[in-house]
Amino acid sequence: MTRTDTAPAGIGGRAAGRPAVAPASRRADLVAVLLGACLVGGALADGWAHTNRLETIEGFFTPWHGLLYAGFAGSAGWTCWLAYRRRDRAPRWWRDGWPRGYRVGAIGVAVFAAGGLADMIWHETLGVEVGLDAEFSPSHLLLGGGAVLLLTSPLRSWWASGEGGARAATGVASLALGTTATTILLAHSSAFRTAAATQPVGAAGAQQSAILGVDAYLVTAVVVVVPFLLAHRRRATPGAATAVVAGVALFALVMFEFPVPQTWGAVGAVTGAALADLMLCRFDAVRGADAPLRLPIAGAVLAALVWGGHLAGLALADGIGWTPEVWSGVVTLTAIEGALLGGLAARPLPEAD
Protein backbone atom coordinates (compact mmCIF):
# COMPACT_ATOMS: atom_id res chain seq x y z
CA MET A 1 0.00 0.00 0.00
CA THR A 2 1.11 3.54 -0.68
CA ARG A 3 1.63 5.59 2.47
CA THR A 4 -0.49 8.69 2.45
CA ASP A 5 -0.54 11.93 4.36
CA THR A 6 -3.77 12.44 6.24
CA ALA A 7 -3.30 16.14 6.94
CA PRO A 8 -6.35 18.22 6.12
CA ALA A 9 -6.42 20.23 2.95
CA GLY A 10 -5.63 23.93 3.21
CA ILE A 11 -4.51 26.92 1.27
CA GLY A 12 -1.42 25.85 -0.64
CA GLY A 13 -1.76 22.35 0.86
CA ARG A 14 -2.95 19.01 -0.50
CA ALA A 15 -6.14 17.05 -0.16
CA ALA A 16 -6.36 14.51 2.66
CA GLY A 17 -5.39 11.01 1.57
CA ARG A 18 -3.14 12.09 -1.29
CA PRO A 19 0.49 11.01 -1.19
CA ALA A 20 3.07 13.58 -0.17
CA VAL A 21 5.42 14.42 -3.04
CA ALA A 22 8.69 16.30 -3.01
CA PRO A 23 8.46 20.03 -3.73
CA ALA A 24 10.08 21.45 -6.83
CA SER A 25 13.74 22.33 -6.43
CA ARG A 26 15.24 25.74 -7.15
CA ARG A 27 16.72 24.30 -10.34
CA ALA A 28 13.35 22.95 -11.44
CA ASP A 29 11.79 26.36 -10.88
CA LEU A 30 14.61 28.00 -12.85
CA VAL A 31 14.06 25.68 -15.81
CA ALA A 32 10.33 26.44 -15.67
CA VAL A 33 11.09 30.18 -15.72
CA LEU A 34 13.45 29.87 -18.70
CA LEU A 35 10.94 27.81 -20.68
CA GLY A 36 8.22 30.26 -19.68
CA ALA A 37 10.34 33.07 -21.07
CA CYS A 38 10.45 31.15 -24.38
CA LEU A 39 6.66 30.99 -24.32
CA VAL A 40 6.36 34.73 -23.72
CA GLY A 41 8.96 35.36 -26.42
CA GLY A 42 6.89 33.33 -28.87
CA ALA A 43 3.78 35.29 -27.92
CA LEU A 44 5.72 38.51 -28.44
CA ALA A 45 6.89 37.36 -31.88
CA ASP A 46 3.31 36.50 -32.85
CA GLY A 47 2.00 39.84 -31.52
CA TRP A 48 4.74 41.71 -33.38
CA ALA A 49 3.84 39.91 -36.59
CA HIS A 50 0.13 40.69 -36.16
CA THR A 51 1.06 44.37 -35.68
CA ASN A 52 3.84 44.84 -38.23
CA ARG A 53 3.82 41.94 -40.70
CA LEU A 54 0.15 41.16 -41.12
CA GLU A 55 0.57 40.51 -44.84
CA THR A 56 2.78 37.50 -44.02
CA ILE A 57 0.05 35.81 -41.95
CA GLU A 58 -2.25 33.70 -44.09
CA GLY A 59 -3.56 31.19 -41.60
CA PHE A 60 -2.71 29.27 -38.45
CA PHE A 61 0.51 27.62 -39.65
CA THR A 62 3.02 30.48 -39.54
CA PRO A 63 6.58 30.81 -38.21
CA TRP A 64 5.26 33.09 -35.46
CA HIS A 65 2.78 30.51 -34.27
CA GLY A 66 5.58 27.95 -34.51
CA LEU A 67 7.62 29.97 -31.99
CA LEU A 68 4.60 30.43 -29.71
CA TYR A 69 3.59 26.78 -29.62
CA ALA A 70 7.19 25.57 -29.37
CA GLY A 71 7.54 27.68 -26.23
CA PHE A 72 4.29 26.25 -24.93
CA ALA A 73 5.35 22.67 -25.69
CA GLY A 74 8.59 23.13 -23.75
CA SER A 75 6.89 24.74 -20.75
CA ALA A 76 4.00 22.26 -20.71
CA GLY A 77 6.34 19.29 -21.15
CA TRP A 78 8.49 20.37 -18.21
CA THR A 79 5.46 20.91 -15.98
CA CYS A 80 4.14 17.43 -16.76
CA TRP A 81 7.59 15.88 -16.32
CA LEU A 82 7.82 17.26 -12.79
CA ALA A 83 4.71 15.26 -11.91
CA TYR A 84 5.61 12.15 -13.93
CA ARG A 85 9.03 11.81 -12.28
CA ARG A 86 7.22 11.51 -8.91
CA ARG A 87 5.19 8.49 -10.01
CA ASP A 88 7.07 6.23 -7.57
CA ARG A 89 5.55 8.22 -4.72
CA ALA A 90 2.30 9.02 -6.53
CA PRO A 91 1.32 6.20 -8.94
CA ARG A 92 -1.59 8.34 -10.17
CA TRP A 93 0.89 11.06 -11.01
CA TRP A 94 -1.52 12.89 -13.33
CA ARG A 95 -3.65 13.59 -10.26
CA ASP A 96 -1.35 13.44 -7.25
CA GLY A 97 2.21 13.97 -8.51
CA TRP A 98 2.29 17.74 -8.93
CA PRO A 99 4.79 19.63 -6.78
CA ARG A 100 3.38 22.50 -4.76
CA GLY A 101 2.51 25.35 -7.08
CA TYR A 102 2.39 23.30 -10.28
CA ARG A 103 -1.07 21.75 -10.07
CA VAL A 104 -2.65 25.05 -11.20
CA GLY A 105 0.01 25.21 -13.92
CA ALA A 106 -1.22 21.84 -15.17
CA ILE A 107 -4.71 23.33 -15.46
CA GLY A 108 -3.09 26.13 -17.47
CA VAL A 109 -1.61 23.53 -19.83
CA ALA A 110 -5.09 22.14 -20.52
CA VAL A 111 -6.62 25.61 -20.98
CA PHE A 112 -3.83 26.71 -23.33
CA ALA A 113 -4.10 23.49 -25.37
CA ALA A 114 -7.86 24.01 -25.73
CA GLY A 115 -7.25 27.60 -26.77
CA GLY A 116 -4.66 26.47 -29.32
CA LEU A 117 -7.08 24.01 -30.89
CA ALA A 118 -9.77 26.69 -30.99
CA ASP A 119 -7.27 29.16 -32.47
CA MET A 120 -6.40 26.76 -35.29
CA ILE A 121 -10.08 26.23 -36.13
CA TRP A 122 -10.73 29.97 -35.89
CA HIS A 123 -7.85 30.91 -38.20
CA GLU A 124 -8.61 28.25 -40.77
CA THR A 125 -12.34 29.00 -40.95
CA LEU A 126 -12.71 32.72 -40.16
CA GLY A 127 -9.31 34.06 -41.17
CA VAL A 128 -6.69 36.16 -39.40
CA GLU A 129 -7.81 38.67 -36.78
CA VAL A 130 -6.61 42.27 -36.93
CA GLY A 131 -6.42 44.93 -34.19
CA LEU A 132 -9.16 44.64 -31.60
CA ASP A 133 -10.44 41.47 -33.27
CA ALA A 134 -7.16 39.75 -32.37
CA GLU A 135 -7.19 41.07 -28.81
CA PHE A 136 -10.79 40.02 -28.11
CA SER A 137 -10.81 36.72 -30.00
CA PRO A 138 -12.18 34.04 -27.59
CA SER A 139 -9.44 31.60 -28.59
CA HIS A 140 -6.78 34.21 -27.85
CA LEU A 141 -8.37 34.93 -24.47
CA LEU A 142 -8.17 31.22 -23.64
CA LEU A 143 -4.51 31.20 -24.64
CA GLY A 144 -3.81 34.21 -22.45
CA GLY A 145 -5.59 32.75 -19.42
CA GLY A 146 -3.87 29.40 -19.76
CA ALA A 147 -0.49 31.10 -20.16
CA VAL A 148 -0.91 33.06 -16.91
CA LEU A 149 -1.72 29.89 -14.94
CA LEU A 150 1.22 28.03 -16.48
CA LEU A 151 3.81 30.81 -16.22
CA THR A 152 3.13 31.49 -12.54
CA SER A 153 3.89 27.95 -11.34
CA PRO A 154 7.40 28.90 -10.09
CA LEU A 155 5.85 31.88 -8.32
CA ARG A 156 3.49 29.62 -6.36
CA SER A 157 6.34 27.18 -5.74
CA TRP A 158 8.38 30.04 -4.23
CA TRP A 159 5.48 31.09 -2.02
CA ALA A 160 4.98 27.52 -0.84
CA SER A 161 8.69 27.09 -0.03
CA GLY A 162 8.93 30.25 2.07
CA GLU A 163 12.55 30.62 0.92
CA GLY A 164 14.44 33.70 -0.18
CA GLY A 165 17.66 34.11 -2.14
CA ALA A 166 17.78 32.29 -5.47
CA ARG A 167 14.26 30.96 -4.95
CA ALA A 168 13.00 34.54 -4.68
CA ALA A 169 14.70 35.39 -7.98
CA THR A 170 12.81 32.67 -9.85
CA GLY A 171 9.61 33.70 -8.09
CA VAL A 172 10.01 37.33 -9.13
CA ALA A 173 10.84 36.31 -12.70
CA SER A 174 7.72 34.12 -12.79
CA LEU A 175 5.66 37.03 -11.41
CA ALA A 176 6.95 39.28 -14.20
CA LEU A 177 6.23 36.68 -16.90
CA GLY A 178 2.71 36.05 -15.63
CA THR A 179 1.97 39.77 -15.46
CA THR A 180 3.35 40.29 -18.96
CA ALA A 181 1.08 37.53 -20.24
CA THR A 182 -1.97 39.35 -18.89
CA THR A 183 -1.07 42.43 -20.94
CA ILE A 184 -0.73 40.62 -24.28
CA LEU A 185 -4.43 41.08 -24.97
CA LEU A 186 -4.63 44.49 -23.28
CA ALA A 187 -2.34 46.35 -25.66
CA HIS A 188 -5.28 48.53 -26.69
CA SER A 189 -5.41 49.95 -23.14
CA SER A 190 -1.71 49.99 -22.23
CA ALA A 191 -0.19 53.20 -20.92
CA PHE A 192 3.12 52.05 -22.39
CA ARG A 193 1.61 52.26 -25.86
CA THR A 194 0.17 55.76 -25.67
CA ALA A 195 1.89 59.13 -25.90
CA ALA A 196 -1.36 61.06 -25.41
CA ALA A 197 0.19 63.19 -22.68
CA THR A 198 2.42 64.87 -25.26
CA GLN A 199 -0.60 66.34 -27.08
CA PRO A 200 -2.40 69.52 -25.90
CA VAL A 201 -5.73 68.73 -24.27
CA GLY A 202 -7.45 71.68 -25.91
CA ALA A 203 -6.41 70.87 -29.48
CA ALA A 204 -9.02 69.71 -31.96
CA GLY A 205 -9.85 66.06 -31.31
CA ALA A 206 -7.30 65.84 -28.48
CA GLN A 207 -9.89 65.84 -25.69
CA GLN A 208 -10.96 62.31 -26.53
CA SER A 209 -7.32 61.25 -26.91
CA ALA A 210 -6.58 62.65 -23.45
CA ILE A 211 -9.53 60.76 -21.96
CA LEU A 212 -8.33 57.50 -23.51
CA GLY A 213 -4.82 58.26 -22.26
CA VAL A 214 -6.03 58.76 -18.69
CA ASP A 215 -8.03 55.53 -18.94
CA ALA A 216 -4.90 53.70 -20.10
CA TYR A 217 -3.01 54.85 -17.00
CA LEU A 218 -5.82 53.65 -14.75
CA VAL A 219 -6.05 50.24 -16.44
CA THR A 220 -2.30 49.65 -16.54
CA ALA A 221 -1.96 50.74 -12.91
CA VAL A 222 -4.21 47.84 -11.92
CA VAL A 223 -2.20 45.45 -14.11
CA VAL A 224 1.13 46.26 -12.44
CA VAL A 225 0.03 47.09 -8.89
CA VAL A 226 -2.10 44.00 -8.17
CA PRO A 227 0.62 41.39 -8.95
CA PHE A 228 3.18 43.41 -7.02
CA LEU A 229 0.91 43.58 -3.98
CA LEU A 230 0.38 39.81 -4.08
CA ALA A 231 4.13 39.34 -3.71
CA HIS A 232 4.69 42.25 -1.33
CA ARG A 233 1.91 40.99 0.95
CA ARG A 234 4.12 38.04 1.88
CA ARG A 235 7.41 39.89 2.19
CA ALA A 236 9.28 42.83 0.69
CA THR A 237 11.29 41.41 -2.20
CA PRO A 238 13.92 43.56 -3.91
CA GLY A 239 13.30 43.92 -7.62
CA ALA A 240 9.68 42.76 -7.65
CA ALA A 241 8.21 46.09 -8.81
CA THR A 242 11.04 46.69 -11.28
CA ALA A 243 10.65 43.25 -12.86
CA VAL A 244 6.88 43.58 -13.26
CA VAL A 245 6.99 47.07 -14.79
CA ALA A 246 9.97 46.28 -17.02
CA GLY A 247 8.32 43.12 -18.38
CA VAL A 248 5.06 44.86 -19.23
CA ALA A 249 6.83 47.87 -20.75
CA LEU A 250 9.28 45.82 -22.81
CA PHE A 251 6.52 43.71 -24.33
CA ALA A 252 4.66 46.81 -25.53
CA LEU A 253 7.82 48.47 -26.86
CA VAL A 254 8.99 45.45 -28.85
CA MET A 255 5.52 44.90 -30.31
CA PHE A 256 5.45 48.47 -31.63
CA GLU A 257 9.17 48.62 -32.51
CA PHE A 258 10.35 51.06 -29.84
CA PRO A 259 8.68 54.39 -30.69
CA VAL A 260 10.85 57.15 -29.21
CA PRO A 261 8.42 58.93 -26.84
CA GLN A 262 7.04 55.67 -25.46
CA THR A 263 10.56 54.30 -24.99
CA TRP A 264 11.55 57.31 -22.89
CA GLY A 265 8.31 56.98 -20.96
CA ALA A 266 9.07 53.32 -20.25
CA VAL A 267 12.57 54.19 -19.03
CA GLY A 268 11.03 56.71 -16.64
CA ALA A 269 8.46 54.18 -15.43
CA VAL A 270 11.08 51.46 -14.78
CA THR A 271 13.21 54.02 -12.93
CA GLY A 272 10.19 54.90 -10.79
CA ALA A 273 9.59 51.21 -10.09
CA ALA A 274 13.20 50.76 -8.99
CA LEU A 275 12.84 53.71 -6.61
CA ALA A 276 9.63 52.17 -5.26
CA ASP A 277 11.47 48.89 -4.62
CA LEU A 278 14.16 50.71 -2.65
CA MET A 279 11.68 52.78 -0.66
CA LEU A 280 9.33 49.94 0.20
CA CYS A 281 12.13 47.59 1.27
CA ARG A 282 13.45 50.39 3.46
CA PHE A 283 10.00 51.04 4.89
CA ASP A 284 9.73 47.39 5.91
CA ALA A 285 13.18 47.47 7.49
CA VAL A 286 12.21 50.52 9.57
CA ARG A 287 8.50 50.01 10.22
CA GLY A 288 8.27 46.22 10.12
CA ALA A 289 6.25 43.86 7.96
CA ASP A 290 3.16 44.28 10.17
CA ALA A 291 3.11 48.08 10.13
CA PRO A 292 -0.31 49.77 9.82
CA LEU A 293 -1.37 50.66 6.27
CA ARG A 294 1.64 48.82 4.85
CA LEU A 295 -0.04 47.64 1.64
CA PRO A 296 -2.06 50.82 0.92
CA ILE A 297 1.17 52.81 1.25
CA ALA A 298 2.97 50.34 -1.02
CA GLY A 299 0.29 50.54 -3.69
CA ALA A 300 0.21 54.34 -3.61
CA VAL A 301 4.01 54.71 -3.69
CA LEU A 302 4.39 52.28 -6.58
CA ALA A 303 1.66 53.85 -8.71
CA ALA A 304 2.79 57.43 -8.07
CA LEU A 305 6.46 56.75 -8.83
CA VAL A 306 5.83 54.58 -11.90
CA TRP A 307 3.41 56.93 -13.62
CA GLY A 308 5.19 60.05 -12.44
CA GLY A 309 8.34 58.58 -13.98
CA HIS A 310 6.49 57.67 -17.15
CA LEU A 311 5.19 61.22 -17.61
CA ALA A 312 8.66 62.60 -16.86
CA GLY A 313 10.11 60.37 -19.58
CA LEU A 314 7.51 61.58 -22.09
CA ALA A 315 8.31 65.17 -21.10
CA LEU A 316 12.01 64.65 -21.80
CA ALA A 317 11.31 63.02 -25.16
CA ASP A 318 8.58 65.21 -26.60
CA GLY A 319 7.26 67.62 -23.96
CA ILE A 320 4.00 67.39 -22.02
CA GLY A 321 0.91 68.83 -23.70
CA TRP A 322 -1.50 68.02 -20.90
CA THR A 323 -2.32 70.80 -18.49
CA PRO A 324 -0.85 70.60 -14.96
CA GLU A 325 -4.29 69.69 -13.67
CA VAL A 326 -4.49 66.64 -15.94
CA TRP A 327 -0.98 65.19 -15.59
CA SER A 328 -0.77 65.81 -11.84
CA GLY A 329 -4.30 64.46 -11.51
CA VAL A 330 -3.25 61.25 -13.26
CA VAL A 331 -0.43 60.71 -10.76
CA THR A 332 -2.74 61.49 -7.84
CA LEU A 333 -5.60 59.33 -9.12
CA THR A 334 -3.39 56.31 -9.81
CA ALA A 335 -1.84 56.70 -6.34
CA ILE A 336 -5.33 56.68 -4.81
CA GLU A 337 -6.17 53.65 -6.93
CA GLY A 338 -3.00 51.90 -5.71
CA ALA A 339 -3.86 52.70 -2.11
CA LEU A 340 -7.36 51.28 -2.53
CA LEU A 341 -5.97 48.11 -4.12
CA GLY A 342 -3.54 47.85 -1.20
CA GLY A 343 -6.41 48.12 1.23
CA LEU A 344 -8.23 45.29 -0.55
CA ALA A 345 -5.09 43.14 -0.49
CA ALA A 346 -4.38 43.71 3.21
CA ARG A 347 -5.14 40.95 5.67
CA PRO A 348 -8.11 41.66 7.94
CA LEU A 349 -7.17 42.98 11.37
CA PRO A 350 -7.79 40.53 14.25
CA GLU A 351 -10.98 41.18 16.11
CA ALA A 352 -10.61 42.79 19.52
CA ASP A 353 -11.66 40.70 22.54
PDB file of all heavy atoms in Angstrom, residues 51-52 54 71 98 112 150 156 235 254 272 281 322 344:
ATOM      1  N   THR A  51       1.045  42.907 -35.652  1.00  0.00           N
ATOM      2  CA  THR A  51       1.059  44.368 -35.682  1.00  0.00           C
ATOM      3  C   THR A  51       1.827  44.923 -36.866  1.00  0.00           C
ATOM      4  O   THR A  51       1.410  45.922 -37.475  1.00  0.00           O
ATOM      5  CB  THR A  51       1.692  44.912 -34.380  1.00  0.00           C
ATOM      6  OG1 THR A  51       0.975  44.389 -33.254  1.00  0.00           O
ATOM      7  CG2 THR A  51       1.636  46.431 -34.341  1.00  0.00           C
ATOM      8  N   ASN A  52       2.928  44.255 -37.244  1.00  0.00           N
ATOM      9  CA  ASN A  52       3.842  44.844 -38.226  1.00  0.00           C
ATOM     10  C   ASN A  52       3.998  44.046 -39.517  1.00  0.00           C
ATOM     11  O   ASN A  52       4.498  44.590 -40.494  1.00  0.00           O
ATOM     12  CB  ASN A  52       5.234  45.004 -37.588  1.00  0.00           C
ATOM     13  CG  ASN A  52       5.213  45.874 -36.352  1.00  0.00           C
ATOM     14  OD1 ASN A  52       5.095  47.081 -36.432  1.00  0.00           O
ATOM     15  ND2 ASN A  52       5.315  45.242 -35.182  1.00  0.00           N
ATOM     16  N   LEU A  54       1.433  41.852 -40.950  1.00  0.00           N
ATOM     17  CA  LEU A  54       0.151  41.162 -41.116  1.00  0.00           C
ATOM     18  C   LEU A  54       0.045  40.493 -42.474  1.00  0.00           C
ATOM     19  O   LEU A  54      -0.589  39.440 -42.618  1.00  0.00           O
ATOM     20  CB  LEU A  54      -1.001  42.156 -40.927  1.00  0.00           C
ATOM     21  CG  LEU A  54      -2.408  41.559 -40.909  1.00  0.00           C
ATOM     22  CD1 LEU A  54      -2.561  40.583 -39.745  1.00  0.00           C
ATOM     23  CD2 LEU A  54      -3.456  42.650 -40.825  1.00  0.00           C
ATOM     24  N   GLY A  71       7.356  27.241 -27.614  1.00  0.00           N
ATOM     25  CA  GLY A  71       7.543  27.681 -26.234  1.00  0.00           C
ATOM     26  C   GLY A  71       6.547  27.029 -25.305  1.00  0.00           C
ATOM     27  O   GLY A  71       6.894  26.612 -24.186  1.00  0.00           O
ATOM     28  N   TRP A  98       1.836  16.378  -8.672  1.00  0.00           N
ATOM     29  CA  TRP A  98       2.290  17.740  -8.934  1.00  0.00           C
ATOM     30  C   TRP A  98       2.972  18.350  -7.718  1.00  0.00           C
ATOM     31  O   TRP A  98       2.416  18.336  -6.620  1.00  0.00           O
ATOM     32  CB  TRP A  98       1.094  18.614  -9.333  1.00  0.00           C
ATOM     33  CG  TRP A  98       0.304  18.010 -10.447  1.00  0.00           C
ATOM     34  CD1 TRP A  98      -0.871  17.336 -10.331  1.00  0.00           C
ATOM     35  CD2 TRP A  98       0.654  17.976 -11.829  1.00  0.00           C
ATOM     36  NE1 TRP A  98      -1.289  16.884 -11.566  1.00  0.00           N
ATOM     37  CE2 TRP A  98      -0.365  17.271 -12.507  1.00  0.00           C
ATOM     38  CE3 TRP A  98       1.729  18.489 -12.566  1.00  0.00           C
ATOM     39  CZ2 TRP A  98      -0.343  17.056 -13.878  1.00  0.00           C
ATOM     40  CZ3 TRP A  98       1.755  18.275 -13.931  1.00  0.00           C
ATOM     41  CH2 TRP A  98       0.734  17.567 -14.576  1.00  0.00           C
ATOM     42  N   PHE A 112      -4.579  26.212 -22.182  1.00  0.00           N
ATOM     43  CA  PHE A 112      -3.828  26.709 -23.333  1.00  0.00           C
ATOM     44  C   PHE A 112      -3.988  25.768 -24.522  1.00  0.00           C
ATOM     45  O   PHE A 112      -4.150  26.214 -25.660  1.00  0.00           O
ATOM     46  CB  PHE A 112      -2.345  26.836 -22.959  1.00  0.00           C
ATOM     47  CG  PHE A 112      -1.540  27.663 -23.921  1.00  0.00           C
ATOM     48  CD1 PHE A 112      -1.184  28.966 -23.606  1.00  0.00           C
ATOM     49  CD2 PHE A 112      -1.124  27.143 -25.139  1.00  0.00           C
ATOM     50  CE1 PHE A 112      -0.442  29.730 -24.484  1.00  0.00           C
ATOM     51  CE2 PHE A 112      -0.383  27.888 -26.031  1.00  0.00           C
ATOM     52  CZ  PHE A 112      -0.039  29.196 -25.706  1.00  0.00           C
ATOM     53  N   LEU A 150       0.019  28.835 -16.265  1.00  0.00           N
ATOM     54  CA  LEU A 150       1.217  28.027 -16.476  1.00  0.00           C
ATOM     55  C   LEU A 150       2.480  28.776 -16.063  1.00  0.00           C
ATOM     56  O   LEU A 150       3.349  28.227 -15.370  1.00  0.00           O
ATOM     57  CB  LEU A 150       1.286  27.632 -17.955  1.00  0.00           C
ATOM     58  CG  LEU A 150       2.508  26.835 -18.430  1.00  0.00           C
ATOM     59  CD1 LEU A 150       2.642  25.543 -17.638  1.00  0.00           C
ATOM     60  CD2 LEU A 150       2.378  26.538 -19.922  1.00  0.00           C
ATOM     61  N   ARG A 156       4.193  30.337  -7.432  1.00  0.00           N
ATOM     62  CA  ARG A 156       3.490  29.624  -6.364  1.00  0.00           C
ATOM     63  C   ARG A 156       4.417  28.665  -5.636  1.00  0.00           C
ATOM     64  O   ARG A 156       4.298  28.455  -4.429  1.00  0.00           O
ATOM     65  CB  ARG A 156       2.275  28.885  -6.939  1.00  0.00           C
ATOM     66  CG  ARG A 156       1.160  29.819  -7.423  1.00  0.00           C
ATOM     67  CD  ARG A 156      -0.058  29.028  -7.882  1.00  0.00           C
ATOM     68  NE  ARG A 156       0.263  28.222  -9.046  1.00  0.00           N
ATOM     69  CZ  ARG A 156       0.185  28.640 -10.298  1.00  0.00           C
ATOM     70  NH1 ARG A 156      -0.185  29.892 -10.548  1.00  0.00           N
ATOM     71  NH2 ARG A 156       0.483  27.850 -11.309  1.00  0.00           N
ATOM     72  N   ARG A 235       6.171  39.279   1.697  1.00  0.00           N
ATOM     73  CA  ARG A 235       7.407  39.889   2.193  1.00  0.00           C
ATOM     74  C   ARG A 235       7.907  40.890   1.162  1.00  0.00           C
ATOM     75  O   ARG A 235       7.599  40.758  -0.025  1.00  0.00           O
ATOM     76  CB  ARG A 235       8.490  38.834   2.452  1.00  0.00           C
ATOM     77  CG  ARG A 235       9.007  38.153   1.207  1.00  0.00           C
ATOM     78  CD  ARG A 235      10.275  37.352   1.513  1.00  0.00           C
ATOM     79  NE  ARG A 235       9.972  36.181   2.309  1.00  0.00           N
ATOM     80  CZ  ARG A 235       9.833  34.956   1.796  1.00  0.00           C
ATOM     81  NH1 ARG A 235       9.941  34.785   0.500  1.00  0.00           N
ATOM     82  NH2 ARG A 235       9.582  33.932   2.562  1.00  0.00           N
ATOM     83  N   VAL A 254       8.559  46.339 -27.774  1.00  0.00           N
ATOM     84  CA  VAL A 254       8.990  45.454 -28.854  1.00  0.00           C
ATOM     85  C   VAL A 254       7.878  45.279 -29.872  1.00  0.00           C
ATOM     86  O   VAL A 254       8.106  45.297 -31.091  1.00  0.00           O
ATOM     87  CB  VAL A 254       9.443  44.095 -28.294  1.00  0.00           C
ATOM     88  CG1 VAL A 254       9.717  43.107 -29.416  1.00  0.00           C
ATOM     89  CG2 VAL A 254      10.685  44.262 -27.434  1.00  0.00           C
ATOM     90  N   GLY A 272      11.105  54.698 -11.914  1.00  0.00           N
ATOM     91  CA  GLY A 272      10.193  54.900 -10.791  1.00  0.00           C
ATOM     92  C   GLY A 272       9.933  53.615 -10.027  1.00  0.00           C
ATOM     93  O   GLY A 272       9.863  53.619  -8.789  1.00  0.00           O
ATOM     94  N   CYS A 281      11.266  48.480   0.478  1.00  0.00           N
ATOM     95  CA  CYS A 281      12.125  47.587   1.272  1.00  0.00           C
ATOM     96  C   CYS A 281      12.656  48.319   2.502  1.00  0.00           C
ATOM     97  O   CYS A 281      12.754  47.738   3.599  1.00  0.00           O
ATOM     98  CB  CYS A 281      13.278  47.064   0.410  1.00  0.00           C
ATOM     99  SG  CYS A 281      12.791  45.820  -0.808  1.00  0.00           S
ATOM    100  N   TRP A 322      -0.406  67.962 -21.865  1.00  0.00           N
ATOM    101  CA  TRP A 322      -1.499  68.021 -20.901  1.00  0.00           C
ATOM    102  C   TRP A 322      -1.294  69.188 -19.936  1.00  0.00           C
ATOM    103  O   TRP A 322      -0.156  69.564 -19.628  1.00  0.00           O
ATOM    104  CB  TRP A 322      -1.567  66.723 -20.103  1.00  0.00           C
ATOM    105  CG  TRP A 322      -2.185  65.578 -20.863  1.00  0.00           C
ATOM    106  CD1 TRP A 322      -2.724  65.613 -22.109  1.00  0.00           C
ATOM    107  CD2 TRP A 322      -2.301  64.230 -20.393  1.00  0.00           C
ATOM    108  NE1 TRP A 322      -3.177  64.369 -22.467  1.00  0.00           N
ATOM    109  CE2 TRP A 322      -2.941  63.505 -21.430  1.00  0.00           C
ATOM    110  CE3 TRP A 322      -1.939  63.575 -19.223  1.00  0.00           C
ATOM    111  CZ2 TRP A 322      -3.215  62.135 -21.319  1.00  0.00           C
ATOM    112  CZ3 TRP A 322      -2.212  62.218 -19.104  1.00  0.00           C
ATOM    113  CH2 TRP A 322      -2.856  61.511 -20.144  1.00  0.00           C
ATOM    114  N   LEU A 344      -7.522  46.540  -0.245  1.00  0.00           N
ATOM    115  CA  LEU A 344      -8.230  45.291  -0.549  1.00  0.00           C
ATOM    116  C   LEU A 344      -7.324  44.076  -0.355  1.00  0.00           C
ATOM    117  O   LEU A 344      -7.790  42.992   0.008  1.00  0.00           O
ATOM    118  CB  LEU A 344      -8.754  45.326  -1.982  1.00  0.00           C
ATOM    119  CG  LEU A 344      -9.870  46.329  -2.276  1.00  0.00           C
ATOM    120  CD1 LEU A 344     -10.186  46.368  -3.763  1.00  0.00           C
ATOM    121  CD2 LEU A 344     -11.132  45.977  -1.485  1.00  0.00           C
TER     122      LEU A 344
END
